[in-house]
Amino acid sequence: MLGRETMRYAIGIDAGGTHLRVARLDPEGNILNKEMLVVGTERTADIFFKTLSEKIRLVAGAHRKDLAGIGLGLPGICNQKEGVIHELPHYPHWHDVPVIQIMKEGFSCNVVFDNDANMAALGEHWKGIAKNLPTFIMLTLGTGIGGGLVLDGKLWRGEEGFAGEVGHMVIEADGKECVCGNKGCWECYASAGAVPVGKTAEGFSKAADEGDSEAKKFWEKFGHYLGLGISNLANITGVEHFVLAGGVSLGWPHFIESAKKTILKGAYPRLAKKIVLQKTSLKGEAALIGCAFAVFQTSKI
Ligand SMILES: [Zn+2]
């Protein structure tokens, strides 16, 4: 345990499709204080980083001089080599935004960034349900679907950060229109994007609890599509463990059986029997904890 005078902190940032969370964490990954705000419809990089800087200063408070670094989890294609985020389907104005350069202009500490699902995977691997799993796939079911691939104890980012964009795997030829510009992407069928306009995942979950047949049918179909995507991922990678997080995972009791049924049909029979789906043990905080891990132990992963 570090002495009080030498205690360093990390700032963790989890930017999703609808919410932005900023937290201060200690070297053990404990969240000490946190701020959350809704990301508005205006999502230009200029406004985003201005708001973010204000929140970081607020959360860091008097501890700003003790910051070991800032970790950002962003919902898009993060190119680690260039310090640039190429695309964010849910932030359509962003193209090749130099994240590291922008952050360094405002803060003198170490800055690391990664896809939000990758950060969540690091969090689960460090402190969560995937602690003892060298190989697993993290799936964040929120506004879209994020994927983080931990293979043999290491995050697989792809050559330019494009790995894990599982939400945009086409699952229905010529299907629903996706924010990425394509049609029939997985996240249109197994994330909040699948919920009909005017309804919410939370509302549908409550309705299913009360036995509403429309809601039960919705979750069953949701589970089927979820299982379809997981079957494809398992067949491609041979990964057997999947950790699910994100706001939509609250429908778990209503979709899990349907998902498992589809996996048994969709993945190779021998592999299908070994597939394990687990719910996050870190509630909504896996990405924030992963950001702290990235700040404190970058060299270890
Ligand atoms: Zn898409």
Side-chain angles (χ1 to χ4, degrees), residues 24-82:
R24 182 170 61 95
L25 301 98
D26 68 16
E28 301 298 317
N30 299 306
I31 293 179
L32 303 168
N33 57 312
K34 187 168 76 169
E35 287 281 322
M36 187 174 86
L37 67 150
V38 172
V39 180
T41 46
E42 181 54 85
R43 293 164 185 228
T44 62
D46 285 354
I47 294 175
F48 177 88
F49 282 104
K50 191 170 169 280
T51 309
L52 182 62
S53 295
E54 286 164 9
K55 288 289 166 200
I56 293 172
R57 288 191 173 92
L58 181 69
V59 168
H63 302 285
R64 208 175 143 190
K65 62 180 185 331
D66 304 319
L67 290 186
I70 299 172
L72 292 101
L74 295 160
I77 317 290
C78 298
N79 186 325
Q80 303 286 324
K81 285 180 209 156
E82 294 175 17

Side-chain angles (χ1 to χ4, degrees), residues 89 167-170 177-188:
H168 303 285
M169 153 170 67
V170 175
E177 277 183 24
C178 180
V179 288
C180 73
N182 208 346
K183 281 183 178 179
C185 294
W186 191 26
E187 67 176 42
C188 300

Side-chain angles (χ1 to χ4, degrees), residues 40-236:
T41 46
E42 181 54 85
R43 293 164 185 228
T44 62
D46 285 354
I47 294 175
F48 177 88
F49 282 104
K50 191 170 169 280
T51 309
L52 182 62
S53 295
E54 286 164 9
K55 288 289 166 200
I56 293 172
R57 288 191 173 92
L58 181 69
V59 168
H63 302 285
R64 208 175 143 190
K65 62 180 185 331
D66 304 319
L67 290 186
I70 299 172
L72 292 101
L74 295 160
I77 317 290
C78 298
N79 186 325
Q80 303 286 324
K81 285 180 209 156
E82 294 175 17
V84 165
I85 185 153
H86 291 307
E87 306 286 337
L88 287 91
H90 296 278
Y91 294 59
H93 306 292
W94 290 36
H95 301 287
D96 296 335
V97 175
V99 177
I100 296 294
Q101 189 194 318
I102 294 171
M103 292 301 293
K104 290 270 186 190
E105 280 165 11
F107 300 91
S108 54
C109 59
N110 177 33
V111 178
V112 291
F113 79 120
D114 211 329
N115 176 271
D116 56 341
N118 283 351
M119 288 299 196
L122 288 182
E124 290 292 344
H125 197 44
W126 186 30
K127 294 283 167 184
I129 200 139
K131 215 170 173 177
N132 299 313
L133 295 176
T135 297
F136 69 98
I137 294 179
M138 179 88 212
L139 295 173
T140 56
L141 311 178
T143 316
I145 303 179
L149 279 67
V150 175
L151 307 174
D152 295 333
K154 286 194 174 179
L155 256 181
W156 173 248
R157 296 184 174 91
E159 292 179 42
E160 290 188 355
F162 280 86
E165 284 301 307
V166 297
H168 303 285
M169 153 170 67
V170 175
I171 214 140
E172 277 287 2
D174 221 16
K176 293 184 197 174
E177 277 183 24
C178 180
V179 288
C180 73
N182 208 346
K183 281 183 178 179
C185 294
W186 191 26
E187 67 176 42
C188 300
Y189 300 89
S191 76
V195 179
V197 180
K199 309 265 187 183
T200 64
E202 200 182 359
F204 259 12
S205 182
K206 274 188 195 147
D209 286 342
E210 289 158 9
D212 180 86
S213 61
E214 186 198 349
K216 282 166 100 174
K217 217 184 262 174
F218 165 80
W219 286 117
E220 203 178 308
K221 203 169 164 196
F222 181 99
H224 167 66
Y225 277 110
L226 183 68
L228 215 54
I230 290 174
S231 302
N232 290 343
L233 292 174
N235 281 345
I236 293 165

Side-chain angles (χ1 to χ4, degrees), residues 231 234-235 262-275:
S231 302
N235 281 345
T262 300
I263 291 168
L264 283 174
K265 281 193 235 157
Y268 278 114
R270 203 183 166 100
L271 173 63
K273 281 184 212 143
K274 292 187 171 179
I275 291 174

